Amino acid sequence: MYIKEIELNNFRIYKGNNKIALLPEGNKNIIVISGKNGFGKTTFLMSLVWCLYGKQMEKVDELYEKEIRDKGNYTKYISNSLNRKAYEDGETEFSVSVTFSGVKIPDVTCNEVTIKRSYNVISNTSDRVDVLIDGYQNQLIEDLTKENQKGEEIFIRDFILPIEIAKFFFFDAEKIVSLAEINSNNQRRQLSKAYSEVLGIQKYEDLKANLEEKQDEYRRRSAKPEEKEELNQLHADIENTKIEIEKLAENIDDLKHEKNQKEKEAEDIQRRLIKEGDKMTLDELNLLKDEQKKLELKKTEVQESLKDYFDIIPFALAGETLMNISEQITNERNLTEQKYKQEDVNSKINQIKQEIEEQRVEERLVFDTNVRDFYENQIVKLVKKHFFSDIPDVPDNFETLHDFSNSETNEFNQLVNTIKHSFKETFARLNTEYSYLKNQLDSISRKIRDAEKSAEDEYIAELRKKKDVLDKRILSISNEIETINQKIGELNNQVKILKQKQEILRKKIDESSQYSEKEQKTKQIINRLQNFIALFKEEKKKSLEEKMLKGLNTLLHKKEFIKKVEVDISHTGEDIDISLFDNSNKQIDKGSLSMGERQMYASALLNALVDESDIEFPVFIDSPMQKFDEQHAENIIKHFYPNVSKQVVIFPLINKELTEKEYKQLQPKVCKSFLIDNISNEKSVFIECQPKELLENYKEKYNAD
């Protein structure tokens, strides 16, 4: 899939119609779009994300989430996107359209797909999205429409690019280092969902779930009345709990939007109070507010990490019980291994005894029965002693209680190791850091309060009253969101427990039921699919490990710094963790990597994920070449940009994010280049240049060296 062209109409700084053609040529796959700061590079990338995802764009990048939050809500944010000069000229609508080629739609032949999103600032309602297939509307869009979702939005998600993985195709090269800074379980779970989607695991899990629901219909026919009732109840409980989780998530979104709006109002009032008080300049206030936001963000991250450790505290308090469970699980694993090894031992002993017996018959030897029994018993003992002494002994009266899978055992062992080795120190460090950040924030809040005018005239008193009401509501919303998040966590655990009960009941019904050939076939397909998913995950795991290791060793100038990459995929596919190991097989803390090394890690991860996904979609990179030394930059130019996708669009600041030397290294792969020329404060346009003339044109236009 390629993007053929993009058209911006009165979108922000792009007044009127502005088209740009982006199709690659031959084996050259890189398009360079450059311009000075403020000319529209980031706006151009944002226009593409908005065209595809509209209100959901905040899920693609934190930048958009922050900007929407700062404006108060999405409507206020996007309604400011109409070009100011166009508004003065009486125009009320802006739009962005993207034309794709090579889109694969089952049972539909098409050459091009055009997606156009428009917004009218007068009607000020929702975006309008049009999808044209070869220039015409298609019945497919109407068929996709659901009760609460437009067919156009579903089409983009299903046939263009799911929003869950868009972050891997639209990114700021300076900010992707955040992929190496994932600390809390919540952050990891969110990223794991994206990994699962991009690796194709989720679609097979969804297919398996659909087949299991179908099989449940068959089970209800043959189940006993009480089993049927329980199965129906479990299914209903799971679905109702999921619906409740979705409603709570929507409630959180609404509360966040309200909180953003209240914070914006409170901030405006605070600025007025400080201006009236004349104790702090607005520049000083802005610096304090920026520092406050950074500290709030850091405090939230530490708070999330602390929450994860709060979940571990009950296990740490029950240390003795935990160790007993660990010993039980080890014995169960040993028993399983012993079972298979014992079968192997007995097989070999029987083979030895059989060969001895054949030799005895051949030589016509006769032994006394007692002598024969003695030697046979000794053979058994000595074979076990000298060849199979590593088989662990398990008590004769041992009983299996847990029967953990490999992934469950690994997860449990990880918990035990965390409690043993790092829990106490890490928890103390996080607690200290949280207290420090809270004190810093309290200090900033006091400075801001002190700067507010102390006069008690009617105007100031009214402002203070409004701000107090807003502050109380903001605090109330934060508490509501926290309570709802806790409820969602409880409900997610409840779903897991219900699914475990459902699986136990399914096995019970299967063991006592006789199914028709059709029903047996469904069961066989599910079993085959389950085995396939397990193998698929293992293949993806190995392939991702190999590609990431190769990518890291190619991009990093410290060769052999990373000796091993380990990808851990849970049996549900919902938790995917990536670990790096050095030459001593010691795990490397990704947070300890330099900024350049983190960017190399993120680049290697993105390259491996895009390659593994088999999703052919262009990659857009803002602020390339940041935080790179000379060798890292050369490695990125030679190995990352030419290979990450068949169509790569980069937005560099020439001389700062892309030097003349670096551009000359990149130029053999550049098929098109554009300068964004700022004609006036209200208008920028695209100027296409020959790739070999880009730097000269830039120097000539801006007198830049």
Side-chain angles (χ1 to χ4, degrees):
M1 183 191 306
Y2 296 97
I3 289 182
K4 181 182 177 181
E5 66 178 25
I6 299 173
E7 181 177 345
L8 297 88
N9 183 23
N10 288 333
F11 187 83
R12 299 206 167 191
I13 202 166
Y14 295 98
K15 185 180 185 300
N17 285 314
N18 293 268
K19 279 187 182 181
I20 184 168
L22 299 175
L23 275 179
E25 298 169 0
N27 64 346
K28 297 181 178 183
N29 65 322
I30 297 174
I31 296 101
V32 178
I33 302 175
S34 185
K36 299 187 82 172
N37 275 332
F39 281 17
K41 296 192 311 299
T42 303
T43 295
F44 177 68
L45 182 58
M46 174 258 186
S47 74
L48 179 56
V49 176
W50 176 71
C51 178
L52 293 179
Y53 304 113
K55 188 176 181 179
Q56 300 297 312
M57 65 188 295
E58 62 182 354
K59 295 181 180 179
V60 177
D61 193 293
E62 289 179 1
L63 169 67
Y64 308 132
E65 183 183 12
K66 179 181 180 298
E67 288 185 353
I68 291 170
R69 185 173 64 244
D70 289 346
K71 290 295 181 183
N73 57 42
Y74 171 77
T75 301
K76 290 183 178 179
Y77 168 73
I78 203 61
S79 60
N80 282 326
S81 295
L82 176 64
N83 180 271
R84 284 195 290 264
K85 188 67 172 65
Y87 179 73
E88 290 172 6
D89 293 344
E91 299 189 55
T92 60
E93 187 169 290
F94 61 88
S95 65
V96 177
S97 67
V98 184
T99 300
F100 296 88
S101 64
V103 180
K104 296 175 183 176
I105 307 172
D107 302 322
V108 176
T109 303
C110 74
N111 295 315
E112 294 181 356
V113 172
T114 299
I115 296 170
K116 180 180 179 181
R117 190 178 294 267
S118 312
Y119 190 89
N120 191 299
V121 296
I122 300 299
S123 60
N124 205 25
T125 53
S126 58
D127 316 335
R128 189 180 76 248
V129 186
D130 297 302
V131 175
L132 302 179
I133 298 176
D134 287 338
Y136 298 95
Q137 293 182 342
N138 193 289
Q139 180 64 34
L140 171 65
I141 306 302
E142 190 175 331
D143 293 342
L144 289 171
T145 302
K146 294 180 181 178
E147 191 174 319
N148 59 344
Q149 282 185 299
K150 294 179 180 177
E152 291 83 359
E153 305 287 2
I154 296 173
F155 177 87
I156 293 168
R157 184 191 68 201
D158 289 353
F159 299 111
I160 303 298
L161 189 69
I163 193 168
E164 294 84 0
I165 61 177
K167 66 180 70 182
F168 298 128
F169 294 87
F170 305 98
F171 61 86
D172 185 319
E174 187 177 7
K175 292 175 184 172
I176 58 168
V177 296
S178 61
L179 291 176
E181 298 167 347
I182 300 301
N183 294 316
S184 72
N185 284 340
N186 187 45
Q187 288 173 315
R188 198 177 77 195
R189 277 192 294 269
Q190 288 178 349
L191 197 58
S192 293
K193 288 180 181 177
Y195 289 163
S196 184
E197 187 80 38
V198 79
L199 292 173
I201 294 171
Q202 193 57 48
K203 63 183 178 183
Y204 292 113
E205 293 286 1
D206 291 343
L207 177 59
K208 177 171 162 282
N210 290 336
L211 285 169
E212 284 174 337
E213 283 188 21
K214 187 66 179 175
Q215 194 179 23
D216 278 347
E217 293 179 17
Y218 300 144
R219 288 188 177 103
R220 291 185 188 99
R221 297 174 191 169
S222 57
K224 297 173 184 176
E226 62 273 17
E227 290 173 339
K228 181 178 179 180
E229 184 180 352
E230 186 180 354
L231 191 63
N232 286 337
Q233 189 61 51
L234 283 170
H235 180 77
D237 288 345
I238 290 170
E239 291 305 310
N240 289 336
T241 307
K242 286 180 177 178
I243 291 170
E244 190 174 351
I245 290 170
E246 288 176 6
K247 287 180 179 177
L248 289 173
E250 290 174 4
N251 193 6
I252 286 177
D253 286 341
D254 292 339
L255 286 169
K256 281 182 177 178
H257 286 143
E258 184 188 350
K259 184 183 176 185
N260 293 341
Q261 196 166 348
K262 301 295 183 191
E263 284 176 337
K264 184 72 171 60
E265 291 175 27
E267 190 174 314
D268 290 341
I269 292 174
Q270 191 174 67
R271 291 179 190 280
R272 276 187 273 167
L273 285 168
I274 288 173
K275 187 177 179 181
E276 291 290 331
D278 200 27
K279 290 185 178 180
M280 181 186 294
T281 67
L282 288 178
D283 286 342
E284 289 171 337
L285 173 63
N286 288 333
L287 287 173
L288 270 181
K289 295 293 289 183
D290 288 343
E291 181 64 20
Q292 189 180 43
K293 285 178 182 177
K294 289 177 185 175
L295 289 171
E296 284 284 4
L297 185 62
K298 186 65 179 172
K299 179 188 164 191
T300 302
E301 290 174 0
V302 173
Q303 203 169 9
E304 285 294 326
S305 298
L306 272 172
K307 283 179 191 174
D308 295 334
Y309 276 87
F310 285 144
D311 292 339
I312 296 175
I313 287 175
F315 295 102
L317 293 174
E320 186 177 348
T321 304
L322 201 67
M323 295 314 297
N324 289 338
I325 294 172
S326 180
E327 184 180 349
Q328 171 74 16
I329 291 171
T330 301
N331 285 336
E332 288 181 12
R333 180 56 57 88
N334 289 342
L335 182 66
T336 303
E337 291 176 359
Q338 185 190 58
K339 176 186 173 184
Y340 293 123
K341 287 187 177 181
Q342 191 62 53
E343 290 173 357
D344 192 35
V345 171
N346 292 337
S347 173
K348 286 182 169 56
I349 289 173
N350 289 333
Q351 189 176 349
I352 291 170
K353 287 163 67 175
Q354 184 180 344
E355 289 180 11
I356 291 174
E357 179 63 16
E358 289 171 357
Q359 191 64 32
R360 184 194 68 77
V361 171
E362 187 178 328
E363 296 186 15
R364 298 180 181 178
L365 297 174
V366 178
F367 296 119
D368 180 84
T369 305
N370 292 331
V371 173
R372 183 173 177 174
D373 290 344
F374 169 78
Y375 279 108
E376 284 191 356
N377 289 334
Q378 288 303 309
I379 287 169
V380 172
K381 288 179 182 178
L382 293 173
V383 167
K384 286 184 177 180
K385 177 181 177 181
H386 293 291
F387 297 100
F388 300 98
S389 59
D390 61 328
I391 296 180
D393 291 324
V394 178
D396 294 335
N397 60 348
F398 181 77
E399 183 181 355
T400 299
L401 300 176
H402 304 295
D403 193 22
F404 278 10
S405 65
N406 287 340
S407 60
E408 288 169 335
T409 301
N410 292 336
E411 194 174 341
F412 181 83
N413 289 337
Q414 186 179 0
L415 171 65
V416 172
N417 288 332
T418 299
I419 292 172
K420 275 184 178 180
H421 303 299
S422 63
F423 171 72
K424 185 177 178 182
E425 294 78 7
T426 306
F427 183 76
R429 176 180 61 77
L430 288 170
N431 199 38
T432 302
E433 190 175 356
Y434 179 79
S435 299
Y436 170 76
L437 291 167
K438 191 173 182 300
N439 290 335
Q440 291 289 97
L441 284 165
D442 289 343
S443 174
I444 289 175
S445 296
R446 281 195 300 273
K447 287 178 183 178
I448 293 173
R449 282 198 303 272
D450 291 343
E452 294 174 359
K453 186 174 181 181
S454 58
E456 292 300 328
D457 61 66
E458 188 177 342
Y459 172 67
I460 296 298
E462 187 62 30
L463 283 179
R464 284 184 178 281
K465 185 178 177 182
K466 284 182 180 179
K467 187 172 180 300
D468 286 342
V469 171
L470 287 167
D471 287 343
K472 286 176 182 176
R473 179 55 187 153
I474 290 165
L475 181 61
S476 171
I477 292 172
S478 296
N479 292 334
E480 284 182 57
I481 290 173
E482 178 65 24
T483 302
I484 294 172
N485 275 324
Q486 289 176 359
K487 179 66 176 174
I488 288 175
E490 292 169 6
L491 290 173
N492 279 323
N493 287 332
Q494 192 175 319
V495 169
K496 287 182 181 178
I497 293 168
L498 289 169
K499 284 185 175 180
Q500 287 170 355
K501 289 181 179 179
Q502 188 182 49
E503 195 57 38
I504 292 169
L505 182 59
R506 282 170 172 170
K507 288 179 181 177
K508 182 181 174 184
I509 295 172
D510 287 347
E511 288 169 0
S512 60
S513 302
Q514 293 295 321
Y515 294 122
S516 68
E517 185 178 343
K518 183 180 178 182
E519 293 162 348
Q520 288 286 359
K521 189 68 176 175
T522 305
K523 186 177 179 181
Q524 288 171 12
I525 292 171
I526 291 173
N527 289 335
R528 287 175 62 186
L529 184 58
Q530 197 162 350
N531 292 332
F532 170 79
I533 290 172
L535 290 172
F536 183 73
K537 286 178 185 174
E538 189 61 28
E539 286 178 9
K540 287 292 180 184
K541 163 186 161 66
K542 288 179 180 177
S543 183
L544 197 59
E545 287 171 346
E546 290 170 3
K547 286 176 180 175
M548 273 205 69
L549 182 60
K550 182 181 178 182
L552 283 165
N553 285 328
T554 300
L555 296 175
L556 288 168
H557 53 62
K558 288 197 285 187
K559 298 305 176 187
E560 302 299 319
F561 169 50
I562 309 293
K563 193 67 178 176
K564 183 175 75 171
V565 176
E566 194 171 278
V567 178
D568 185 27
I569 303 177
S570 69
H571 70 285
T572 60
E574 293 175 357
D575 192 7
I576 300 175
D577 196 20
I578 299 171
S579 303
L580 308 178
F581 296 86
D582 61 17
N583 279 309
S584 304
N585 206 33
K586 184 179 177 182
Q587 187 169 345
I588 298 169
D589 178 7
K590 293 192 283 286
S592 68
L593 299 173
S594 70
M595 290 301 286
E597 288 168 343
R598 290 184 204 182
Q599 203 164 344
M600 292 298 99
Y601 165 80
S603 299
L605 173 58
L606 286 165
N607 201 11
L609 283 170
V610 172
D611 194 28
E612 278 299 308
S613 72
D614 291 328
I615 296 172
E616 292 186 356
F617 194 88
V619 169
F620 292 79
I621 306 166
D622 198 6
S623 303
M625 317 307 293
Q626 287 275 12
K627 300 288 186 293
F628 291 150
D629 58 30
E630 190 173 349
Q631 192 171 349
H632 277 158
E634 185 177 344
N635 289 341
I636 282 286
I637 288 169
K638 284 184 177 179
H639 305 293
F640 180 62
Y641 292 146
N643 300 313
V644 70
S645 174
K646 291 181 180 178
Q647 186 179 18
V648 180
V649 185
I650 64 173
F651 301 84
L653 274 172
I654 288 176
N655 295 331
K656 182 180 179 183
E657 295 168 353
L658 189 67
T659 66
E660 184 172 358
K661 179 182 177 182
E662 289 164 351
Y663 182 71
K664 285 180 179 177
Q665 291 172 334
L666 186 69
Q667 192 182 319
K669 285 291 183 179
V670 177
C671 62
K672 290 182 179 179
S673 62
F674 299 87
L675 284 175
I676 300 175
D677 187 24
N678 188 235
I679 296 173
S680 70
N681 290 336
E682 308 301 337
K683 185 171 184 178
S684 287
V685 295
F686 301 112
I687 299 175
E688 186 168 3
C689 317
Q690 288 297 321
K692 62 183 179 181
E693 298 172 358
L694 175 66
L695 296 184
E696 283 301 318
N697 288 349
Y698 181 84
K699 289 177 184 177
E700 184 180 329
K701 183 166 279 295
Y702 302 115
N703 297 317
D705 294 324

